[in-house]
Structures are given as structure tokens and as C-alpha cells.
Amino acid sequence: LIFLRHHIDDDLRYEYLTIENPLELWQNLNDRFEHLKAVVLPKALNDWSQLRFQDFKTVSEYNFTLFKIVSQLKMCGEVITDDMLLEKTYRTFHASNVLLQQQYRLHGFKKYRELIGSLLIAEQNNELLMQNHDNRPTGSAPLPEVNATSSHFGGRGRGRGRGPGRGRGSGRNQNLLGLRNNNSMKWKNPDTKQRQKWRNLGQSMNDEQTQNRKGNCNRCGMEGHWYRTCHTAKHWVDLYQASLKEKDKRI
């Protein structure tokens, strides 16, 4: 009697506070809530008949809803076995997964938890597979590593170089110095056509670099690299070039 009174709802506690016999309290509660089974059972049976595995986006959502309905049926006195759970899952697979459903049947699961465990593992592997595919589509070249790029340009700066001699004035720096001297001499040339030629050449190089940075690769249409550094497979390049010739179609 003390246990019932401590764990009963507050509204019911004041209503049955004067009852001293625990059997009488139990009978009163049973008479009051016995009809709830008759109310819950039809809805639970309807939910069980409408439950389909293909209506859920994830296996976890289907498993949660399934056991919620099963608990209501068991509370109302219905018997739910593992064979019923397995058959319910097999019959409600999506129509596009007929072959997959047959493979799970041939596996011969005896317990529902074994089937749901295999479905959860397969779902997780499929998610990882789709993430790897979305990060780098088929035929695209991997992005260059940061360390490789740094080392490539690092050898051209200060310190030891690959050319003859060491220090800051060796190798490429000497070539740059000579190029600057030659440029300065050419700029002093009074010939206007020569100066215009060098000016147009520098302007065209700057325009090409700016266009390559802002736009896509002219060979495959992807971002992140230029035409000269494109390593996309040839069949993808052919498809992209063919799509450019077609009008009113999305690339």
C-alpha cells in the first residue's frame, strides 16, 4: 500500500488516500484503467498493419517505431514473435531492393536483432561510401598536398639553390637579377614598338592568370586547377567537350 501511494499520480493519490486495504486499492485502479486496453489495441493493430520498412529514411527510425508498436500490443495481451518481426521487415522492403531482400532471406536469420544489426552495418557503410564519392567524383584528380607545394616553391627562395653557388645571390636569383637588368635596358630603348610589345606580353599573362583563377578548367570544366595541370581522365574530358557543343542541355 505504501509503494502504490508513493508511486501513484498526484491526482489519484488524493482520490484514494482514504483506502487502507491494498487489495481494494488495486481493484479500484484496475476497474478504472482496464478499459484502456480496449482503446489502445485497435490503434496498435492498425499501426502494425500500416508499418512499412520502406517508409523510413534510416534503420534506427524504423526500429524505434516497430518496438513502440510491439510494446503496446504486448501490453494488450497480443503475442509478437521474432518470426513475425522478420517477416514484417522482409515484406515491407522497397520494390527496388527485391534482390537485397532475397539475399537477407537466404541468410537465414533466426532473431530479429541479428537482422537489424546487419541492416545498421550496411547503412553505415553506404553512408561512408556516398561521402567518399561526393568528396571527389569519379575521374577527378586529387588535390596537391600542401607540403609538396611548399617544398616546390621553397627551393626557389632564399638559402641553398640547385644552381651553381650558394646563398641569396645564386641560382634563380641571379637569373632574376639578369632578367631585371635586361628589362631595364630594354625599357631604356627608345624604340616605342619594343616597349609596347613587352607591355602587351605582360598584360596578356596577367589576364590569363586572372581568368584561370576565377574560372574553371577549360579542359574538363572542374574547379581547383588550370588547363595545363589537368589530370582528368580522357573519357570524362570527351564527354564534357561533347556537352559544350550541345545546346539547351545542362552540363
Side-chain angles (χ1 to χ4, degrees), residues 139-142 217 219-220 225-234 237:
S140 61
C217 176
R219 183 170 179 265
C220 65
H225 63 273
W226 295 352
Y227 178 87
R228 298 178 180 177
T229 60
C230 180
H231 300 287
T232 306
K234 186 177 182 303
V237 176

Side-chain angles (χ1 to χ4, degrees), residues 212-227:
N212 290 335
R213 290 177 183 174
K214 294 182 179 180
N216 300 337
C217 176
N218 295 331
R219 183 170 179 265
C220 65
M222 299 181 62
E223 298 180 356
H225 63 273
W226 295 352
Y227 178 87

Side-chain angles (χ1 to χ4, degrees), residues 35-48 72-78:
H35 68 280
L36 290 180
K37 291 183 179 181
V39 177
V40 174
L41 182 59
K43 184 178 182 305
L45 292 175
N46 181 69
D47 293 341
W48 172 261
Q72 294 177 352
L73 292 174
K74 290 183 177 180
M75 184 189 67
C76 297
E78 297 292 329

Side-chain angles (χ1 to χ4, degrees), residues 14-29:
Y14 292 106
E15 183 176 352
Y16 300 105
L17 185 62
T18 57
I19 299 178
E20 299 180 356
N21 187 1
L23 179 60
E24 183 181 356
L25 176 60
W26 180 261
Q27 290 177 351
N28 292 337
L29 294 174

Side-chain angles (χ1 to χ4, degrees), residues 53 62 85-93 112 115 119:
F53 180 62
Y62 168 76
L85 298 177
L86 291 172
E87 193 64 25
K88 183 68 174 179
T89 306
Y90 290 146
R91 290 186 176 183
T92 57
F93 265 71
Y112 172 76
L115 172 62
L119 292 174

